[in-house]
Amino acid sequence: MRLRLQVLVALVTFSSITGSLAYKPVVILHGILSGAESMASLVREIEEFHPGTIVYNCDKFSGWYSLENAWRQVDQVRDYLNEVGKLHPEGIIVLGYSQGGLLARAAIQSLPEHNVKTFISLSSPQAGQYGTSFLHLIFPDLAAKTAFELFYSRVGQHTSVGGYWNDPQRQDLYLQYSEFLPLINNEKKTSNSTSFKMGMVRLNKLVMIGGPNDDVITPWQSSHFGYFDENMDVIPFIRRPIFTSDSIGIRTLQEAGKLIIVVKPHVHHLAWHTRRDVIHEVIFPYLD
């Protein structure tokens, strides 16, 4: 009911100004250990410079609840996107920040008949995470080299981070225990593998944003599907199997001119959605 009231208020307000919708609705998903309020700066910029845009600032799994199992969160985000999409048959834009970008991507893949036109992944660990700078808030004594002992276990898989923790030197354990990232990346084949790919190639535009001074996403190239190999060298996404085998449709999108890679230096992880100049440079061009 609250979602429908939000739409009605927005439509009435905007129609009184222009009588028509100029921009597609935007759904925003926050990152880990935060909530919808953390995306307020981005919402304000969109509403100011794209007046009349209907913005859905998703408040699901805020704060500590963002650590819940990744699939549990994806199930609710999927239903949320499906409901919003039905309200806007013209299509919607989805922007997911940090962990929210990974959950949003999985939700889109779980909706092979979605009407998401553009998906913007804003500094999200799409190929996984192997850095503990942000985890010290939760697990003060956790180190990257030993984190697998926690995350590659039944207990660890109950946490969202455990679902996308990707230890490059323990790939056997990653594939054995991880119940989330290997599935949505089609590294482990399931009955959903085909539909996961269909959900991606249905996009009109996939925008991947990240940069070398992020200091949280590790390696930062994970925001573009790049990742460490077993020697801790970062392999660009175009040389990784997820692209060369086109397992989830990234190569298909690139060949169709629908994949956009944005590399922006001198932006810390917490600034992608708060710095006005960054918002206008790397996000606004794709809110059409």
PDB file of all heavy atoms in Angstrom, residues 3-17:
ATOM      1  N   LEU A   3       3.834   1.608  -1.180  1.00  0.00           N
ATOM      2  CA  LEU A   3       4.452   1.748  -2.493  1.00  0.00           C
ATOM      3  C   LEU A   3       3.483   2.399  -3.466  1.00  0.00           C
ATOM      4  O   LEU A   3       3.842   3.321  -4.203  1.00  0.00           O
ATOM      5  CB  LEU A   3       4.880   0.379  -3.001  1.00  0.00           C
ATOM      6  CG  LEU A   3       5.551   0.319  -4.378  1.00  0.00           C
ATOM      7  CD1 LEU A   3       6.836   1.137  -4.370  1.00  0.00           C
ATOM      8  CD2 LEU A   3       5.839  -1.126  -4.750  1.00  0.00           C
ATOM      9  N   ARG A   4       2.233   1.974  -3.459  1.00  0.00           N
ATOM     10  CA  ARG A   4       1.249   2.528  -4.394  1.00  0.00           C
ATOM     11  C   ARG A   4       0.917   3.985  -4.057  1.00  0.00           C
ATOM     12  O   ARG A   4       0.710   4.808  -4.956  1.00  0.00           O
ATOM     13  CB  ARG A   4      -0.016   1.675  -4.389  1.00  0.00           C
ATOM     14  CG  ARG A   4       0.230   0.278  -4.927  1.00  0.00           C
ATOM     15  CD  ARG A   4      -1.049  -0.530  -5.024  1.00  0.00           C
ATOM     16  NE  ARG A   4      -0.760  -1.863  -5.524  1.00  0.00           N
ATOM     17  CZ  ARG A   4      -0.638  -2.169  -6.800  1.00  0.00           C
ATOM     18  NH1 ARG A   4      -0.770  -1.231  -7.708  1.00  0.00           N
ATOM     19  NH2 ARG A   4      -0.378  -3.414  -7.176  1.00  0.00           N
ATOM     20  N   LEU A   5       0.883   4.325  -2.775  1.00  0.00           N
ATOM     21  CA  LEU A   5       0.645   5.707  -2.395  1.00  0.00           C
ATOM     22  C   LEU A   5       1.790   6.600  -2.836  1.00  0.00           C
ATOM     23  O   LEU A   5       1.588   7.729  -3.275  1.00  0.00           O
ATOM     24  CB  LEU A   5       0.457   5.802  -0.871  1.00  0.00           C
ATOM     25  CG  LEU A   5      -0.879   5.293  -0.321  1.00  0.00           C
ATOM     26  CD1 LEU A   5      -0.868   5.325   1.200  1.00  0.00           C
ATOM     27  CD2 LEU A   5      -2.039   6.123  -0.866  1.00  0.00           C
ATOM     28  N   GLN A   6       3.021   6.067  -2.743  1.00  0.00           N
ATOM     29  CA  GLN A   6       4.189   6.832  -3.183  1.00  0.00           C
ATOM     30  C   GLN A   6       4.097   7.136  -4.669  1.00  0.00           C
ATOM     31  O   GLN A   6       4.359   8.245  -5.109  1.00  0.00           O
ATOM     32  CB  GLN A   6       5.463   6.035  -2.886  1.00  0.00           C
ATOM     33  CG  GLN A   6       6.745   6.744  -3.311  1.00  0.00           C
ATOM     34  CD  GLN A   6       7.956   5.865  -3.053  1.00  0.00           C
ATOM     35  OE1 GLN A   6       7.850   4.780  -2.489  1.00  0.00           O
ATOM     36  NE2 GLN A   6       9.111   6.339  -3.469  1.00  0.00           N
ATOM     37  N   VAL A   7       3.691   6.141  -5.445  1.00  0.00           N
ATOM     38  CA  VAL A   7       3.545   6.337  -6.885  1.00  0.00           C
ATOM     39  C   VAL A   7       2.464   7.364  -7.180  1.00  0.00           C
ATOM     40  O   VAL A   7       2.637   8.251  -8.001  1.00  0.00           O
ATOM     41  CB  VAL A   7       3.196   5.004  -7.572  1.00  0.00           C
ATOM     42  CG1 VAL A   7       2.933   5.237  -9.043  1.00  0.00           C
ATOM     43  CG2 VAL A   7       4.335   4.015  -7.393  1.00  0.00           C
ATOM     44  N   LEU A   8       1.326   7.253  -6.505  1.00  0.00           N
ATOM     45  CA  LEU A   8       0.207   8.154  -6.757  1.00  0.00           C
ATOM     46  C   LEU A   8       0.574   9.596  -6.462  1.00  0.00           C
ATOM     47  O   LEU A   8       0.298  10.495  -7.267  1.00  0.00           O
ATOM     48  CB  LEU A   8      -0.984   7.732  -5.897  1.00  0.00           C
ATOM     49  CG  LEU A   8      -2.270   8.580  -6.045  1.00  0.00           C
ATOM     50  CD1 LEU A   8      -2.742   8.528  -7.495  1.00  0.00           C
ATOM     51  CD2 LEU A   8      -3.349   8.094  -5.104  1.00  0.00           C
ATOM     52  N   VAL A   9       1.227   9.819  -5.324  1.00  0.00           N
ATOM     53  CA  VAL A   9       1.635  11.182  -4.972  1.00  0.00           C
ATOM     54  C   VAL A   9       2.593  11.742  -6.006  1.00  0.00           C
ATOM     55  O   VAL A   9       2.475  12.887  -6.451  1.00  0.00           O
ATOM     56  CB  VAL A   9       2.275  11.205  -3.569  1.00  0.00           C
ATOM     57  CG1 VAL A   9       2.909  12.567  -3.303  1.00  0.00           C
ATOM     58  CG2 VAL A   9       1.238  10.886  -2.515  1.00  0.00           C
ATOM     59  N   ALA A  10       3.567  10.923  -6.421  1.00  0.00           N
ATOM     60  CA  ALA A  10       4.548  11.381  -7.395  1.00  0.00           C
ATOM     61  C   ALA A  10       3.894  11.702  -8.728  1.00  0.00           C
ATOM     62  O   ALA A  10       4.208  12.709  -9.370  1.00  0.00           O
ATOM     63  CB  ALA A  10       5.637  10.320  -7.583  1.00  0.00           C
ATOM     64  N   LEU A  11       2.980  10.852  -9.164  1.00  0.00           N
ATOM     65  CA  LEU A  11       2.319  11.066 -10.446  1.00  0.00           C
ATOM     66  C   LEU A  11       1.456  12.325 -10.430  1.00  0.00           C
ATOM     67  O   LEU A  11       1.459  13.121 -11.357  1.00  0.00           O
ATOM     68  CB  LEU A  11       1.458   9.852 -10.797  1.00  0.00           C
ATOM     69  CG  LEU A  11       2.213   8.601 -11.261  1.00  0.00           C
ATOM     70  CD1 LEU A  11       1.248   7.435 -11.399  1.00  0.00           C
ATOM     71  CD2 LEU A  11       2.921   8.853 -12.576  1.00  0.00           C
ATOM     72  N   VAL A  12       0.716  12.518  -9.335  1.00  0.00           N
ATOM     73  CA  VAL A  12      -0.135  13.703  -9.243  1.00  0.00           C
ATOM     74  C   VAL A  12       0.694  14.969  -9.220  1.00  0.00           C
ATOM     75  O   VAL A  12       0.404  15.960  -9.898  1.00  0.00           O
ATOM     76  CB  VAL A  12      -1.030  13.612  -7.981  1.00  0.00           C
ATOM     77  CG1 VAL A  12      -1.741  14.936  -7.747  1.00  0.00           C
ATOM     78  CG2 VAL A  12      -2.035  12.490  -8.130  1.00  0.00           C
ATOM     79  N   THR A  13       1.783  14.943  -8.438  1.00  0.00           N
ATOM     80  CA  THR A  13       2.646  16.116  -8.334  1.00  0.00           C
ATOM     81  C   THR A  13       3.251  16.462  -9.674  1.00  0.00           C
ATOM     82  O   THR A  13       3.243  17.614 -10.116  1.00  0.00           O
ATOM     83  CB  THR A  13       3.768  15.855  -7.312  1.00  0.00           C
ATOM     84  OG1 THR A  13       3.176  15.569  -6.051  1.00  0.00           O
ATOM     85  CG2 THR A  13       4.669  17.074  -7.177  1.00  0.00           C
ATOM     86  N   PHE A  14       3.792  15.456 -10.359  1.00  0.00           N
ATOM     87  CA  PHE A  14       4.467  15.726 -11.619  1.00  0.00           C
ATOM     88  C   PHE A  14       3.486  16.107 -12.723  1.00  0.00           C
ATOM     89  O   PHE A  14       3.740  16.994 -13.517  1.00  0.00           O
ATOM     90  CB  PHE A  14       5.288  14.510 -12.047  1.00  0.00           C
ATOM     91  CG  PHE A  14       6.101  14.762 -13.283  1.00  0.00           C
ATOM     92  CD1 PHE A  14       6.914  15.874 -13.383  1.00  0.00           C
ATOM     93  CD2 PHE A  14       6.054  13.881 -14.349  1.00  0.00           C
ATOM     94  CE1 PHE A  14       7.669  16.104 -14.514  1.00  0.00           C
ATOM     95  CE2 PHE A  14       6.799  14.109 -15.479  1.00  0.00           C
ATOM     96  CZ  PHE A  14       7.616  15.224 -15.566  1.00  0.00           C
ATOM     97  N   SER A  15       2.345  15.435 -12.766  1.00  0.00           N
ATOM     98  CA  SER A  15       1.398  15.735 -13.832  1.00  0.00           C
ATOM     99  C   SER A  15       0.867  17.148 -13.710  1.00  0.00           C
ATOM    100  O   SER A  15       0.525  17.789 -14.703  1.00  0.00           O
ATOM    101  CB  SER A  15       0.243  14.724 -13.810  1.00  0.00           C
ATOM    102  OG  SER A  15      -0.471  14.815 -12.593  1.00  0.00           O
ATOM    103  N   SER A  16       0.839  17.675 -12.482  1.00  0.00           N
ATOM    104  CA  SER A  16       0.382  19.044 -12.305  1.00  0.00           C
ATOM    105  C   SER A  16       1.387  20.042 -12.844  1.00  0.00           C
ATOM    106  O   SER A  16       1.055  21.186 -13.126  1.00  0.00           O
ATOM    107  CB  SER A  16       0.135  19.319 -10.815  1.00  0.00           C
ATOM    108  OG  SER A  16       1.350  19.270 -10.093  1.00  0.00           O
ATOM    109  N   ILE A  17       2.643  19.594 -12.999  1.00  0.00           N
ATOM    110  CA  ILE A  17       3.692  20.485 -13.499  1.00  0.00           C
ATOM    111  C   ILE A  17       3.845  20.375 -15.004  1.00  0.00           C
ATOM    112  O   ILE A  17       3.922  21.367 -15.716  1.00  0.00           O
ATOM    113  CB  ILE A  17       5.048  20.136 -12.832  1.00  0.00           C
ATOM    114  CG1 ILE A  17       4.943  20.324 -11.326  1.00  0.00           C
ATOM    115  CG2 ILE A  17       6.169  20.996 -13.389  1.00  0.00           C
ATOM    116  CD1 ILE A  17       6.168  19.838 -10.568  1.00  0.00           C
TER     117      ILE A  17
END
